[in-house]
């Protein structure tokens, strides 16, 4: 299971790519004018996943131009990118998928949103890689994922699946995701906490003051300097939280190699 930290600025990109595996999810909404940066990251062999940014744009009352998005993909040379999805419109999302393929010669990752129908999922289940979206802040996520994975494992058990915006431990553990992403690593920092992981792959959070003591004791950083150097502290906060998530998803990758997920295809749930 690969973890893509969702980045929205240079500091988060630096924190995401400072250690192996070097991965980052970059939204077209935030990075469409930063092609040079993306080129530099690709030269450093960073594994980049480009999200269309449709959700961010919609939140601001804006639209993403599909031709401009496709041109961005061509100009940057990224190889892993999502279709321009249309929130709440599965048919338009599928139309965009076909348009990007036929008109622009691209191979985007199809996206299936929560709230779409079984038929919408069946249209894309024969692809090599798809993404499940619309899971953030949604209720009944586990039931929805159960239904999706039941169909996926019955129709194409070799299909690779990405989970947009999901780093919930229970959801990551229950299904054989190929990759996940989220910006949840920033959550603790925003609330004056910090996330760490122990040798038994258990997460814990500590206060900001405890975190500064931890950095000073273990890594010999000067606590007083970090109190006034906000940029450096922010980088270390993001780096440590991202590192914890990479460690955990690496752990899941190993245990999933021997797990049997066939029970997911034997469930009695059906789409409404």
């Amino acid at each position: 299971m690969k973890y893509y930290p969702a980045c929205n600025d240079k500091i988060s990109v630096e924190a995401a790519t400072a250690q192996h595996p070097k991965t980052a999810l970059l939204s077209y909404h935030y990075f469409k004018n930063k092609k040079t940066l993306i080129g530099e990251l690709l030269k450093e062999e960073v594994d980049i996943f480009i999200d269309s940014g449709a959700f961010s744009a919609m939140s601001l009352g804006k639209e993403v131009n599909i031709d401009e998005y496709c041109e961005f993909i061509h100009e940057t040379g990224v190889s892993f990118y999502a279709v321009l999805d249309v929130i709440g419109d599965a048919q338009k999302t599928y139309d965009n998928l076909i348009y990007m393929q036929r008109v622009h010669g691209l191979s985007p990752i199809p996206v299936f949103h929560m709230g779409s129908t079984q038929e919408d999922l069946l249209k894309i289940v024969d692809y090599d890689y798809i993404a499940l979206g619309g899971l953030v802040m949604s209720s009944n996520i586990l039931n929805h994922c159960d239904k999706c994975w039941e169909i996926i494992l019955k129709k194409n058990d070799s299909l690779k699946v990405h989970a947009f915006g999901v780093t919930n431990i229970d959801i990551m553990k229950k299904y054989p995701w190929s990759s996940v992403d989220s910006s949840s690593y920033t959550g603790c920092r925003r609330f004056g906490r910090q996330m760490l992981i122990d040798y038994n792959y258990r997460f814990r959070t500590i206060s900001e003051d405890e975190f500064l003591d931890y950095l000073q004791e273990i890594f010999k950083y000067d606590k007083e300097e970090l109190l006034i150097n906000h940029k450096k502290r922010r980088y270390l906060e993001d780096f440590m939280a991202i590192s914890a998530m990479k460690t955990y998803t690496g752990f899941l990758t190993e245990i999933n190699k021997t797990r049997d997920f066939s029970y997911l295809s034997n469930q009695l749930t059906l789409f409404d």
Side-chain angles (χ1 to χ4, degrees), residues 98-118:
I98 301 304
Y99 182 84
M100 292 177 69
Q101 291 174 332
R102 294 180 179 175
V103 177
H104 289 276
L106 296 173
S107 301
I109 303 297
V111 178
F112 177 77
H113 280 284
M114 189 169 183
S116 301
T117 68
Q118 175 181 359

Side-chain angles (χ1 to χ4, degrees), residues 189-207:
R189 162 169 56 79
R190 287 185 276 120
F191 294 101
R193 306 287 294 176
Q194 182 60 37
M195 180 175 68
L196 299 174
I197 192 169
D198 64 23
Y199 291 109
N200 292 313
Y201 302 101
R202 293 176 299 196
F203 289 100
R204 65 187 178 99
T205 60
I206 58 178
S207 69

